[in-house]
Amino acid sequence: MAVALAQGAIGSSPDSAEVSQAALVSTVEARVASDLRSVSLAVEVAWTSTAPEIPVALGADRFRAPPASLPPADEPLMYRWGFEGGGFSDVRVELDGEPVSFRRERLEDGSSLLWVRSPGRPCAIAVRARLDVPRRYGPFGVIGRQLTLGGRWYPQVGAAKGRSPPRGRVDLKVQLPAGASAVVASTWVPWLPGSGPRWVHVQTVGGIPPLLVLPPESAALPVRRGAFISPRGRSSDPAELRRRRAVLKTIASVELEGPLLIVEAPLRRELARGLGAGVVLVSDHAFRGWPLEDLDRFERQALLRALFFASGLRRSAPLIADFVAAARVDRWLEAQAGSPEASELLGPFSFVPAVDSLLYAPQIPFREAYFRVLQEEDPLRASLTRFPSGWPRGKILYEKLVDRVGTARAFEVAEELRAGAPLAPTLAASLRGSPGPGASAFLRTWLGPYPEVAYRLGTWGSENMGVHHRARVEIERRGAEVAEPVMVRLEDAEGRKRVVRAPATSSALRVITATLSAPLSSVTLDPDGRLVQTPALGSPNPRLDDRSHPGWRVLLNSFNILVGATGGTLDTGLSLSFARQFDPTWAFGLAGNFAPDAFAVTGQVRRAFGRPVTPNRRSSSLAWVLTGERLREGFVEGATGAWAARTSLRFGYDDRVTSFAPEAGTGLRARLTYARILARDGRGRSVDTDDALAIRGAVLRSVRVGHAHTFSVRARVDAWVLGRPRPQLAFDVGGRFGLRGYRVGEEQGRLRTLLAGEWVHPLLRDAEVDGLRLVWADRVDGALFAEGGLIADELEGLGGGFRATVGYGFRAYLDYLGLRPGVLAIDVAFPLVSVESQRFELGAPEVWLAFSQSFLSF
């Protein structure tokens, strides 16, 4: 069974008597519309099989619906203008020139499979359709004047569920629109001045030839046995040229099978993608940062893997090509750094918030370039070179083989496969004699859906045996019966470390023993992160219980600058958090803040609970906060300085995934605060008291409409219920988190209520604004808002303290070096009620500049 499965995965089905894929010759005629949004297709095949039905795969139908779980922060990386569907329409089938009916089957990945009744004799089958192409980033879509069809873009006759696409000859005829250059299969077609629509005719063997239509200014730079093609023409930016030259030098240093075309494309989720016919897509954002050695190293790994994959597709099936590509990248790393293991880009100190959550809830592009990710089953990934998309990538087989037999033997297997050796017998020979199940069980486990499994550290300890210590460690497995080795790092009391392998077995409990020179002090399962563990099986994170003593991470949560441009106020703060790695339950925070009213230092202890929003964040939290501050003299007229302390108990609930994009969800806040004046400054009578007690509550509800618009309503109530606080501690009517039409310090009170509504909508969905090559603004939203509130010192005075604001803002979504998302917000707000006269009148606007969403921090 496993051998048959492996054969099917590499394209030689055991049922090849029914469909002789290698014998198929497809004639594909494609007419690209002038706006690039559709392609008229006619596919003809001479069918010789006697099977009762003829399968026709419509792979691009998977783009008719968005992925089932598409986080708001990820959506702009695919659909910058909101979701647009694409796929085949007006599908017609003919047998020997006569129209026939068919039945349609919808597959798990959203693609379609047509079944046409066969006449039981050789016949000519023709499929005619129109391919609708959405505005979509990635290897399938159209962005501006660039059409990218990386694979599965025409009906594939003979491709059925459980089989690879036909690997016969493809006779491809493409009509290009006027004023376009193109890559058709492995042929570069430059623009010809003055030319109208023109036909390009190429022939290719095996796989699915890509079709890329590019702007006329596209330029090709020669590289070893190929070309680098940029739709932007020849760049004059020195930093970009340096990075590009370094990459081209790397390409020239490796052995490739045949010429390759490397094309810049609008990829956002992945840095590079290998396609059929020797074509590689590389993201047009890959060269836009400063040349940093760490970034370059990781990006070259991703590019080389895509190059090796596309190169291997010329004579191997996708599974084998990816297996070999992963091995060749490791060999390149070994030659460069002396080890095939590449450490992750992010270490114990990081400016990426919640770095551990990137493993399960990524919010950055090119995630797989910066992390050694084994299970590359991202829901945003569209399978373009294999069918159906549920099959694993060859990298998984390679990595699991490395775990069993080591890198040296895995390299040998890759070279044998590269030379044409069959997969199953080659793996069987390599696994012979190694502890664990044989090739059949190995293939049965890793050629299907990735098994759901989680490990945890059981009891551990050591026993003094006189001249040495005997360590004993238990490893517990939950979930599927997976037989894979587990590496265990042991550290003794004298700091010496030893790595022990727990052999591959499907037992739910494994015990390892080892001899140490001192007592065992700590244990870590899977120290190199080579095991994929299912979040649902671990609580709160499946990797938290892999360590006897989880390490700590220091994270820069935020560095905020809030500027009241018209009022001349500055509010800036730095926030750090300290948390155990992989532990979303407990966190400790330290923050410093400079504001118009005070200088403050804050510490907090937070305990998260409730349902998981992501594997690294719970929906609810309870925090104890302690703040020491210097109240600034002259904040408002008559305000004297003082030293003060506050302590708060805070509850929060938030079911939104990210704060870097507007999304639907609900948030709640409640806080109880006690404040005390420690030392007073100034002379004269003071009406404030040393002690005061406040309660605060807020609720937020956001709703998304049409994938591109978000409507939010926020309400809050604040009250000092005991004591009379100083003006610096009183609630302010103005400010960006109050009513934005009023300045900070313009009016304070002991009681405040606020109600606000905001509509966030797209403005510039494809911006490319460069900030010193360190920060880019990739899109801009608009925000129309209206706010109202009441403020007073006493409850009976609330009726006369009504204030209101209307305004408009801009949200520029930032990308810091491709590693951290952010938001630059600019708000212009007009007060509608005068503080002096308390009458309705339009006042002068207030302008606010901040690095946060106004309604996502409340």
Side-chain angles (χ1 to χ4, degrees):
M1 174 63 183
V3 174
L5 182 59
Q7 290 174 335
I10 63 174
S12 55
S13 168
D15 301 324
S16 56
E18 294 186 12
V19 181
S20 180
Q21 294 181 348
L24 288 178
V25 178
S26 302
T27 299
V28 180
E29 183 178 282
R31 300 171 186 262
V32 181
S34 59
D35 63 358
L36 310 183
R37 298 302 302 274
S38 65
V39 182
S40 298
L41 295 164
V43 179
E44 297 182 2
V45 172
W47 188 259
T48 59
S49 172
T50 58
E53 289 186 301
I54 306 172
V56 180
L58 304 181
D61 272 355
R62 69 167 298 166
F63 302 109
R64 291 209 170 278
S69 56
L70 185 59
D74 287 337
E75 183 176 298
L77 301 179
M78 288 179 64
Y79 301 103
R80 192 59 62 88
W81 297 266
F83 172 73
E84 291 186 18
F88 296 101
S89 58
D90 299 334
V91 180
R92 291 166 291 153
V93 180
E94 299 174 357
L95 291 181
D96 291 330
E98 296 295 327
V100 296
S101 60
F102 53 82
R103 64 183 178 89
R104 184 187 295 260
E105 178 185 357
R106 183 72 67 178
L107 302 182
E108 299 86 7
D109 66 351
S111 61
S112 298
L113 190 60
L114 307 183
W115 293 98
V116 182
R117 185 176 296 279
S118 172
R121 56 174 172 77
C123 62
I125 178 172
V127 183
R128 307 184 192 281
R130 185 183 77 241
L131 176 65
D132 300 316
V133 186
R135 285 192 297 178
R136 180 183 184 277
Y137 288 93
F140 182 90
V142 59
I143 298 294
R145 295 181 298 163
Q146 185 168 357
L147 169 68
T148 308
L149 300 178
R152 298 178 66 187
W153 57 273
Y154 60 84
Q156 298 166 254
V157 178
K161 185 178 181 180
R163 292 190 176 95
S164 295
R167 294 189 59 79
R169 192 178 80 222
V170 178
D171 192 7
L172 179 59
K173 303 174 183 177
V174 178
Q175 186 185 52
L176 299 175
S181 54
V183 171
V184 181
S186 57
T187 301
W188 160 236
V189 185
W191 172 63
L192 296 178
S195 64
R198 52 184 171 148
W199 285 93
V200 178
H201 185 190
V202 300
Q203 291 184 334
T204 182
V205 177
I208 306 169
L211 172 59
L212 313 175
V213 181
L214 307 172
E217 63 268 21
S218 301
L221 303 176
V223 297
R224 180 187 176 191
R225 304 187 68 190
F228 182 92
I229 301 170
S230 173
R232 298 174 293 155
R234 298 181 182 273
S235 174
S236 59
D237 183 273
E240 181 175 336
L241 289 174
R242 283 197 300 272
R243 298 193 71 187
R244 187 177 289 178
R245 279 195 293 267
V247 169
L248 296 180
K249 183 179 179 181
T250 301
I251 295 171
S253 69
V254 298
E255 177 190 352
L256 299 172
E257 299 173 16
L260 293 178
L261 295 180
I262 305 164
V263 185
E264 276 190 303
L267 305 184
R268 297 296 182 269
R269 285 294 304 175
E270 50 196 338
L271 189 136
R273 166 71 75 94
L275 305 175
V279 176
V280 173
L281 302 182
V282 61
S283 173
D284 54 7
H285 284 183
F287 304 106
R288 69 180 191 175
W290 285 102
L292 302 178
E293 183 177 350
D294 284 345
L295 293 177
D296 286 350
R297 184 177 74 254
F298 284 93
E299 290 172 2
R300 284 180 211 172
Q301 292 175 52
L303 178 58
L304 281 176
R305 182 178 167 197
L307 290 170
F308 292 142
F309 175 73
S311 175
L313 273 179
R314 295 182 181 277
R315 59 179 178 178
S316 301
L319 184 76
I320 301 300
D322 196 49
F323 184 107
V324 174
R328 296 189 69 188
V329 169
D330 270 5
R331 176 154 289 182
W332 178 82
L333 281 172
E334 191 174 59
Q336 294 290 314
S339 170
E341 292 289 340
S343 60
E344 293 179 357
L345 179 67
L346 306 171
F349 295 86
S350 174
F351 75 105
V352 178
V355 61
D356 302 321
S357 68
L358 296 176
L359 300 177
Y360 292 105
Q363 296 178 357
I364 63 172
F366 312 152
R367 163 188 176 238
E368 292 172 4
Y370 303 133
F371 295 89
R372 191 179 178 98
V373 179
L374 268 65
Q375 186 186 8
E376 299 170 326
E377 297 299 329
D378 193 316
L380 303 180
R381 178 183 295 281
S383 174
L384 302 174
T385 56
R386 61 193 188 280
F387 181 82
S389 64
W391 285 341
R393 302 187 74 176
K395 180 183 178 182
I396 290 180
L397 283 185
Y398 166 74
E399 297 285 5
K400 295 305 176 182
L401 187 65
V402 167
D403 290 342
R404 288 285 302 275
V405 302
T407 54
R409 181 64 183 118
F411 287 163
E412 295 175 1
V413 170
E415 289 303 310
E416 293 174 28
L417 295 177
R418 186 181 174 193
L423 175 64
T426 305
L427 286 177
S430 68
L431 291 170
R432 193 173 295 122
S434 88
S440 295
F442 181 85
L443 291 172
R444 189 165 52 246
T445 299
W446 303 116
L447 281 183
Y450 204 97
E452 296 188 352
V453 65
Y455 298 91
R456 61 173 298 172
L457 177 63
T459 60
W460 59 278
S462 61
E463 181 182 1
N464 191 340
M465 306 298 293
V467 296
H468 63 269
H469 291 75
R470 183 178 180 83
R472 183 181 184 278
V473 177
E474 293 183 352
I475 306 169
E476 301 175 7
R477 177 191 51 76
R478 293 158 286 175
E481 294 187 3
V482 178
E484 58 183 339
V486 178
M487 306 304 292
V488 183
R489 185 174 63 205
L490 310 176
E491 183 172 354
D492 65 24
E494 296 177 356
R496 287 184 286 266
K497 298 177 181 179
R498 178 181 177 184
V499 177
V500 180
R501 178 192 298 265
T505 172
S506 59
S507 173
L509 178 65
R510 276 181 270 185
V511 178
I512 65 164
T513 59
T515 300
L516 305 177
S517 58
L520 178 63
S521 63
S522 70
V523 182
T524 302
L525 304 185
D526 187 31
D528 295 324
R530 298 187 57 83
L531 301 177
V532 177
Q533 303 189 54
T534 305
L537 298 176
S539 180
N541 183 302
R543 298 189 62 84
L544 178 61
D545 51 18
D546 289 356
R547 302 179 172 210
S548 59
H549 303 80
W552 286 83
R553 283 279 172 93
V554 181
L555 302 177
L556 174 58
N557 294 325
S558 62
F559 176 66
N560 294 324
I561 299 177
L562 173 60
V563 178
T566 51
T569 59
L570 174 66
D571 188 338
T572 181
L574 176 70
S575 174
L576 302 173
S577 66
F578 311 84
R580 294 193 306 170
Q581 190 175 10
F582 306 117
D583 183 7
T585 304
W586 286 98
F588 304 88
L590 181 65
N593 189 72
F594 172 88
D597 53 357
F599 306 99
V601 176
T602 299
Q604 74 165 359
V605 179
R606 183 178 61 86
R607 171 72 163 84
F609 58 95
R611 70 174 186 84
V613 177
T614 73
N616 293 276
R617 188 171 72 80
R618 298 305 196 193
S619 60
S620 303
S621 65
L622 194 63
W624 175 64
V625 183
L626 180 62
T627 301
E629 53 195 330
R630 170 64 181 178
L631 306 183
R632 298 180 64 184
E633 186 175 357
F635 165 59
V636 295
E637 185 178 354
T640 57
W643 293 95
R646 282 185 286 172
T647 183
S648 301
L649 186 63
R650 184 179 66 197
F651 167 79
Y653 171 86
D654 198 340
D655 59 10
R656 299 165 298 165
V657 173
T658 178
S659 61
F660 300 118
E663 63 168 301
T666 301
L668 301 171
R669 296 285 188 271
R671 176 182 292 191
L672 178 67
T673 300
Y674 167 75
R676 180 171 180 82
I677 301 299
L678 302 177
R680 295 172 176 271
D681 288 347
R683 299 178 180 179
R685 299 178 58 186
S686 177
V687 297
D688 56 276
T689 56
D690 284 344
D691 301 281
L693 184 68
I695 57 173
R696 311 181 73 171
V699 60
L700 168 68
R701 177 62 182 169
S702 296
V703 178
R704 303 194 78 210
V705 178
H707 296 277
H709 301 262
T710 305
F711 294 89
S712 302
V713 176
R714 176 181 66 190
R716 66 185 304 164
V717 176
D718 306 301
W720 286 98
V721 294
L722 294 175
R724 180 173 293 277
R726 287 203 167 197
Q728 297 94 327
L729 299 177
F731 302 117
D732 206 307
V733 71
R736 189 166 185 263
F737 301 110
L739 302 182
R740 282 167 273 186
Y742 300 90
R743 296 190 303 273
V744 174
E746 189 167 359
E747 187 177 16
Q748 296 82 35
R750 296 175 61 243
L751 307 174
R752 181 180 67 175
T753 64
L754 300 174
L755 179 65
E758 186 174 84
W759 167 39
V760 176
H761 50 280
L763 290 180
L764 301 176
R765 305 302 274 171
D766 195 22
E768 289 283 346
V769 181
D770 180 359
L772 300 177
R773 303 196 64 81
L774 298 174
V775 181
W776 281 263
D778 289 330
R779 63 189 176 99
V780 178
D781 284 350
L784 178 65
F785 55 88
E787 306 162 332
L790 301 171
I791 189 162
D793 270 335
E794 304 295 340
L795 187 61
E796 56 270 17
L798 279 176
F802 178 71
R803 306 289 180 260
T805 291
V806 294
Y808 195 82
F810 301 92
R811 308 287 180 264
Y813 299 92
L814 307 179
D815 173 7
Y816 298 90
L817 292 175
L819 294 177
R820 165 159 185 182
V823 181
L824 171 63
I826 301 174
D827 291 330
V828 181
F830 294 84
L832 299 180
V833 180
S834 170
V835 173
E836 290 78 14
S837 66
Q838 303 201 10
R839 294 198 298 187
F840 283 91
E841 58 183 62
L842 186 67
E846 291 292 320
V847 179
W848 299 95
L849 172 67
F851 289 89
S852 65
Q853 292 268 16
S854 65
F855 268 42
L856 297 188
S857 303
F858 69 101

